[in-house]
Amino acid sequence: MRRVGRIAAVYRAVDGASAVSAPQHRMSTAAHFSSSSNKSYAKSNWLFNNLLTDLSARTAAAHAVAGTMLFSVAATTLTEEVHAKVAVPPELRPKDLVLYQYEACPFCNKVKAFLDYYDLPYKVIEVNPISKKELKWSDYKKVPVVVVDGEQMVNSSDIIDQLYKKVRSADSTFDANEESKWRKWVDDHLVHMLSPNIYRSTSEALESFDYITTHGNFSFTERITAKYAGAAAMYFVSKKLKKKYNITDERAALYEAAETWVDALKGRDFLGGSNPNLADLAVFGVLRPIRYLKSGKDMVENTRIGDWYSRMESAVGSARIQA
């Protein structure tokens, strides 16, 4: 259990995982990544104090992955129905956009969903969760971090808000009440359902960490250590999170959240109507990392969310370019 506390503490390396002063950090997704509502998210990390200072390099790998990466499998499949992307006027498009991220981070995926849908070409810098050397130039060490034409932006929801204001046309409607309500729901509720599900059993924890360590920026030694030590640690941490968020049956809670979202659509293709809005992109971005893990497959098989998710995969696509 001592190791669990240490691994959990590294959540502070992620946007929203623990910075009490940042309004975005309130989420505690599986590994408590970055989020837009920091205060409640920081509280969820009450187990996670004082990590890495006394850890060996090998143990640190597992600890960092547990605190910086979540799970994921952002696999995207095309569907027969195609929804057109939003065309951003050339004069509003950033000339240079770089995203510093962890591939498995749901909040990084939330930002990527926005960039992909608005077809804003971006380069990705995968950050090593141990050394964070890729962020040595920045005083801010959590992810996601976006640099747009030399301007640094942090905190996933804040990044999206700032970029949307830059690229939207003058006559577009920004952040309508319904859209704001459901974006907040993503950060205040939906993300809390993820960690107890992807680490529900030892086999699911290993599945999650296998993806994390395979797609993250780790050395061979860090990868092996993190996979097994991290999976074991997060299995126990997930039980603490269930208790904290009053979750009795984690799968039932995930299914209920999925059904709640489908009900909010009210028969529409998207919450935004014929095209996704920022709330659609937020839900999709957060769920994308778990979609092809066992928990995500179970969610699609046992709820009505599958059709909406397939439409989102088709609509969002990818605007990522090689760094």
Side-chain angles (χ1 to χ4, degrees):
M1 294 304 295
R2 183 179 181 185
R3 171 173 286 182
V4 172
R6 290 173 174 174
I7 289 181
V10 81
Y11 289 2
R12 301 180 180 280
V14 186
D15 158 70
S18 63
V20 176
S21 62
Q24 182 184 22
H25 304 11
R26 65 176 76 159
M27 294 316 29
S28 98
T29 61
H32 299 277
F33 295 5
S34 60
S35 164
S36 59
S37 27
N38 168 53
K39 293 184 179 179
S40 67
Y41 193 45
K43 292 178 181 177
S44 70
N45 292 325
W46 57 274
L47 327 154
F48 313 149
N49 300 312
N50 307 320
L51 165 68
L52 286 182
T53 51
D54 61 336
L55 301 182
S56 66
R58 301 183 79 184
T59 304
H63 293 193
V65 69
T68 57
M69 317 197 68
L70 169 64
F71 42 73
S72 144
V73 170
T76 301
T77 58
L78 297 177
T79 59
E80 294 181 0
E81 182 179 10
V82 177
H83 297 267
K85 288 190 175 188
V86 171
V88 175
E91 66 273 14
L92 298 180
R93 297 170 69 87
K95 295 180 177 61
D96 184 59
L97 199 160
V98 181
L99 169 65
Y100 293 81
Q101 64 150 28
Y102 302 126
E103 180 64 30
C105 166
F107 300 105
C108 297
N109 273 279
K110 192 167 73 169
V111 172
K112 286 193 290 188
F114 173 86
L115 298 175
D116 289 336
Y117 179 65
Y118 281 90
D119 202 20
L120 301 175
Y122 60 96
K123 299 174 185 177
V124 167
I125 303 296
E126 190 71 18
V127 177
N128 182 293
I130 309 301
S131 66
K132 293 187 276 292
K133 62 183 180 180
E134 293 79 9
L135 289 173
K136 64 182 179 181
W137 55 271
S138 173
D139 292 333
Y140 190 86
K141 303 299 182 183
K142 303 175 180 65
V143 294
V145 171
V146 168
V147 178
V148 184
D149 295 333
E151 177 186 356
Q152 180 178 341
M153 300 179 184
V154 300
N155 303 331
S156 60
S157 290
D158 291 345
I159 290 169
I160 291 169
D161 287 344
Q162 292 177 65
L163 285 174
Y164 188 58
K165 290 175 182 177
K166 285 178 177 289
V167 304
R168 68 190 178 100
S169 59
D171 59 351
S172 63
T173 301
F174 177 64
D175 225 14
N177 290 336
E178 183 182 42
E179 185 179 56
S180 296
K181 169 188 172 181
W182 288 103
R183 289 180 70 193
K184 188 173 186 299
W185 175 80
V186 171
D187 291 341
D188 289 349
H189 180 74
L190 179 61
V191 181
H192 292 303
M193 302 300 107
L194 304 185
S195 180
N197 275 279
I198 65 167
Y199 300 124
R200 181 178 67 155
S201 65
T202 53
S203 62
E204 288 186 74
L206 279 171
E207 177 193 36
S208 298
F209 270 85
D210 182 62
Y211 183 83
I212 290 170
T213 55
T214 300
H215 292 78
N217 184 2
F218 295 94
S219 69
F220 177 78
T221 300
E222 291 170 342
R223 184 177 301 120
I224 298 302
T225 304
K227 177 178 177 179
Y228 294 100
M234 290 311 300
Y235 169 77
F236 291 105
V237 169
S238 70
K239 308 309 174 187
K240 296 288 187 180
L241 297 176
K242 281 184 63 176
K243 182 177 181 180
K244 178 175 179 60
Y245 295 109
N246 299 315
I247 299 173
T248 303
D249 183 329
E250 54 273 86
R251 277 296 196 270
L254 180 63
Y255 297 164
E256 182 180 1
E259 292 290 351
T260 296
W261 173 248
V262 175
D263 287 341
L265 300 178
K266 299 177 181 177
R268 297 168 290 185
D269 282 352
F270 307 101
L271 192 76
S274 59
N275 293 297
N277 64 12
L278 297 184
D280 287 291
L281 294 171
V283 176
F284 176 72
V286 166
L287 291 180
R288 184 157 60 173
I290 75 164
R291 169 60 183 93
Y292 297 98
L293 297 179
K294 178 172 173 49
S295 54
K297 292 176 181 177
D298 288 350
M299 175 186 68
V300 169
E301 291 175 1
N302 291 280
T303 72
R304 298 169 292 154
I305 202 169
D307 289 343
W308 170 85
Y309 191 92
S310 294
R311 290 192 294 271
M312 287 298 298
E313 282 188 313
S314 177
V316 170
S318 176
R320 180 171 175 170
I321 59 178
Q322 293 298 317

